[in-house]
Amino acid sequence: MNLYDLDFASFATLFAGWNIAPIHARTVWRWLYRYIPSDFSSLPDGLPQALPARLSAETTLELPQVVDTQVAADSSTRKDLLQLADGERVEVVIMRYRHRHSACISTQVGCACNCRFCATGQMGFVRQLTASEIVAQVLHAQRTLTASGLSLTNFVLMGMGEPLLNYDNTLDALRRVCDPRGMGFVERRITLSTVGIVPGIERLAGEDLRINLAVSLHAATDPVRDTLLPINRRYPLDTLCSALKAYTEATQRRVMLEWVMIDGINATTAQAEALVARFASIPVHVNVIQLNPTPEFDARPATPEAVDAFIAILDRAGIPHTMRQRRGAPIAAACGQLRRRSLLEEAI
Ligand code: SAH
């Protein structure tokens, strides 16, 4: 049995079944999530004498194997390809900034949403990740940074997949990494990004988890959003905006809007005006990011002039925004470029 596959309740049940006092279960759990050990040689002191031998004999400490790594020339961004138990693979991107270190985590293998510009969408849906497979990516990122004397300060669910279409596993994973008995990750340093799954947003509003919500908006009129993000036909902008308004009221937290700048399609002043009009009374922060090229989407990033004109309209309306830096493009690790095939192709 792999201990990293267990949540705290099953872990405690295992120890109880061995007649080990609950306090020892808590000690070992904390050790697991604070040190992320790969074997039992560093177990803490003070455990019942027979426990280390039993743990070594009956359990394992396995995280997905790293089958390939690519590091950007300036070493600020690194992409690891992790192999899961059934052979499926997910990519974890680890980004080092001056004062923080962040990871981009996946929630599904592939994705069913089929956003036109996204490489994951272009590959289709393969399967849900389990809660443990999501947690394992966070542990992997933390362990990798620890090896360089650093620590994971933030992570975003912006890798492959749509977290709100894998709601229960995603939330279980977040609760596990935030659990103060173990890793104790700070909730406010986690961002969940969704394409706009309205029932998921409504459910999330009622959770006692103070994470950040980002919405991949990308267009502020239905005809344009319909063509870029097919999910918009199911949850059109009026419905989405009502859900976001309710979310901000329930949580008292600003929502982040993601906006990928695509030349001539959504990087227009008309779209900026529509964005301002729709979000006049909803507290948002707009993250503007240039399109990263993907194989099956024939479009270009916006011109610098178009970006300036777009941002000027947000400024005039007093909508806070950030122009996000592109990271990882040279190693195909940038937003929307995560795709199982890419690494393999490059490796061959
Ligand atoms: N399904 C979630 C999270 C995964 S995508 C969501 O849609 O938000 C993470 C972010 O990368 C989203 O904002 C997505 O729109 C963006 N993205 C996808 N393809 C991109 C591309 N080619 N260039 C830039 N950003 C892209």
Side-chain angles (χ1 to χ4, degrees), residues 3 41 69 143 149 159 164 202 240 266:
L3 294 184
S41 59
T69 294
R143 185 191 262 174
L164 297 185
E202 289 168 350
L240 177 59
N266 69 350

Side-chain angles (χ1 to χ4, degrees), residues 111 115 117-119 157-163 193-195 214-216 218 229 258 260 289-294 324 335-337:
C111 185
C115 300
F117 45 85
C118 175
L157 300 179
M158 289 194 191
M160 291 203 287
E162 170 47 50
S193 180
T194 178
V195 71
V215 175
S216 299
H218 306 321
L229 299 89
E258 304 292 313
V260 170
I289 182 167
Q290 280 285 24
L291 175 74
N292 288 306
T294 55
R324 279 230 317 256
C335 289
Q337 292 187 323

Side-chain angles (χ1 to χ4, degrees), residues 157-202:
L157 300 179
M158 289 194 191
M160 291 203 287
E162 170 47 50
L164 297 185
L165 292 179
N166 188 13
Y167 192 96
D168 291 335
N169 292 348
T170 299
L171 269 280
D172 284 354
L174 295 183
R175 288 193 200 288
R176 201 186 310 169
V177 298
C178 294
D179 186 339
R181 292 171 297 195
M183 195 174 200
F185 209 90
V186 181
E187 293 171 12
R188 298 305 303 267
R189 292 174 180 267
I190 300 173
T191 300
L192 182 154
S193 180
T194 178
V195 71
I197 306 296
V198 167
I201 294 170
E202 289 168 350

